[in-house]
Amino acid sequence: MIDYNKYIFILAGSAGSGKSTLARKLKSNAPKYINPIEGICEADDFFMQDGEYKFNPKLLFEAHRECQEKAEQLMYTGDNLIVSNTNIKSRDRKSYFQFAEEYGYEVVFIHLNTQFKSVHDVPEEVVQRMRDTYE
């Protein structure tokens, strides 16, 4: 059964689409009809070391696993949360929808189709490939 006081916001879009910016704005200005948003889950956080982003593609699976674990923990405790990853393929976001069903969360899915400069210097051809293969 869905508890309409528990929300997971799932943000999707290519690198540089504004996901992290929107996540921060949603967290600080959550709609008045819901409880505060307690956490933002981003695989990118895994690659932050001493305030510097150090991406390693070999660790991407582990980064997403850690993000999923954080999301599930927040849902287990009943906290509202935001998942802000590229979520290009439906399989990338599948576990979050499963967690939502298991823990009785309402899902708010937002696909950002805007394009700004990637803060992680993702090459333009990679960004375009993300946009072209979005499901």
Side-chain angles (χ1 to χ4, degrees), residues 43-44 46-47 53 55-65:
D44 282 342
F46 183 86
F47 299 106
Y53 185 73
F55 180 73
N56 180 341
K58 293 178 183 177
L59 299 176
L60 198 53
F61 179 82
E62 188 176 343
H64 281 282
R65 189 182 75 235

Side-chain angles (χ1 to χ4, degrees), residues 6 46 59 61 65 70-71 79 109 114 125 127 131-132:
K6 297 191 309 189
F46 183 86
L59 299 176
F61 179 82
R65 189 182 75 235
K70 178 180 178 182
D79 292 322
F109 181 78
T114 52
E125 61 273 8
V127 172
R131 296 182 89 186
D132 291 344

Side-chain angles (χ1 to χ4, degrees), residues 49-111:
Q49 297 175 3
D50 299 322
E52 191 176 333
Y53 185 73
K54 296 184 179 180
F55 180 73
N56 180 341
K58 293 178 183 177
L59 299 176
L60 198 53
F61 179 82
E62 188 176 343
H64 281 282
R65 189 182 75 235
E66 185 175 282
C67 185
Q68 290 168 352
E69 289 172 359
K70 178 180 178 182
E72 185 175 23
Q73 182 59 41
L74 286 164
M75 294 172 103
Y76 177 78
T77 57
D79 292 322
N80 290 330
L81 67 146
I82 300 167
V83 174
S84 175
N85 290 322
T86 56
N87 290 309
I88 298 299
K89 303 288 185 189
S90 58
R91 68 175 181 259
D92 299 335
R93 48 193 183 260
K94 181 179 179 181
S95 61
Y96 301 110
F97 280 92
Q98 289 173 333
F99 294 152
E101 185 174 334
E102 180 180 345
Y103 294 102
Y105 274 70
E106 177 73 13
V107 175
V108 178
F109 181 78
I110 302 171
H111 173 226

